[in-house]
Amino acid sequence: DDTPGLGSPVIPGLLALLCHREFARVTGLHREHLSSAVVVAGILAATVLTLLAVRPQTLTLTHAATLVALCLLNVLPDRPSGYIRRVALAAGSFMLFGVGLGRLAHFPDLPLPDYRPLVCVLIACVQLNDVFAYCCGRALAPRLGNAKWFSTTSPGKTVAGHLGAIALTTPLAAWLLSLALAGTPLAQPVHLAALALIIAVGGQLGDLVISSVKRDVGVKDMGALLPGHGGVLDRCNSLLLVIPVVYHYTRQVLESSPT
């Protein structure tokens, strides 16, 4: 696909940069210019290499080189105070956004007749998962109680909301995936169920990861780029874990299945 869109690495690269920018701003990483610059350079390098369709080994080497550069370059200023914090923040940002979210750029490489339906199902289902969690929490909590698994990290989410979202998202995702992956080895019930659970559970875990960051630094939203919705990261948080896990699961199944 030669046009910027679902098939272009430009879009995932831009999303990764925007998410890193918001993460760096709220965590204070933006004040560590060297560390933040290395993360940006790593994301840009991965995007360019994906555009050039280099071998996967080269891209993996780029990811490793970025992490090594973060460790080594932070030694050069001779400022050991805060070394662990700035390297850990930068490495976490690169792994979540540059590597994890960046896997979205590699879905066109999957041996599928068309990867776009799969990507659309992932995006739609993780968003619906959030809606289901809210609706189930409001509807079921008065009957089942307001028990919470993560009362400090996500005080608005109840056990009823978590379980209700999984109960609704899993069958919906499995059905949509059966349409998107029809005629492929992934259309088998066991794989559809596994992918659907990855979406339902992984979406909530990704949201909890970013919620933990927000509670730690004391902010409500990661940004204000999208009026009424916070920042880009507030919209992408549920995809952070789903995208890489679904990509690698899908690739493993397709490559290990007899042709």
Side-chain angles (χ1 to χ4, degrees), residues 9 40-51 54 59 62-63 94 98 105-106:
V40 171
I43 294 173
L44 290 175
T47 301
V48 171
L49 290 174
T50 305
L51 277 168
V54 300
L59 194 60
T62 303
H63 292 158
F94 180 70
H106 299 276

Side-chain angles (χ1 to χ4, degrees), residues 9 112 122 231:
L112 290 169
L122 295 183

Side-chain angles (χ1 to χ4, degrees), residues 45-166:
T47 301
V48 171
L49 290 174
T50 305
L51 277 168
L52 297 176
V54 300
R55 294 184 303 171
Q57 295 91 331
T58 303
L59 194 60
T60 301
L61 180 61
T62 303
H63 292 158
T66 300
L67 296 175
V68 172
L70 282 171
C71 295
L72 294 181
L73 292 179
N74 271 286
V75 173
L76 299 182
D78 192 26
R79 186 163 57 94
S81 178
Y83 175 86
I84 295 176
R85 177 183 178 277
R86 57 182 179 266
V87 171
L89 280 175
S93 181
F94 180 70
M95 293 302 296
L96 282 174
F97 315 130
V99 179
L101 191 58
R103 277 286 177 260
L104 187 60
H106 299 276
F107 274 73
D109 300 331
L110 292 173
L112 290 169
D114 189 356
Y115 69 92
R116 293 175 183 84
L118 174 58
V119 174
C120 290
V121 169
L122 295 183
I123 295 174
C125 286
V126 295
Q127 297 303 319
L128 287 172
N129 198 31
D130 288 339
V131 175
F132 290 153
Y134 174 79
C135 293
C136 289
R138 293 294 297 270
L140 299 177
R143 298 179 178 84
L144 303 179
N146 289 308
K148 299 174 181 179
W149 277 331
F150 307 96
S151 58
T152 303
T153 301
S154 188
K157 299 282 182 67
T158 63
V159 173
H162 288 296
L163 296 180
I166 293 173

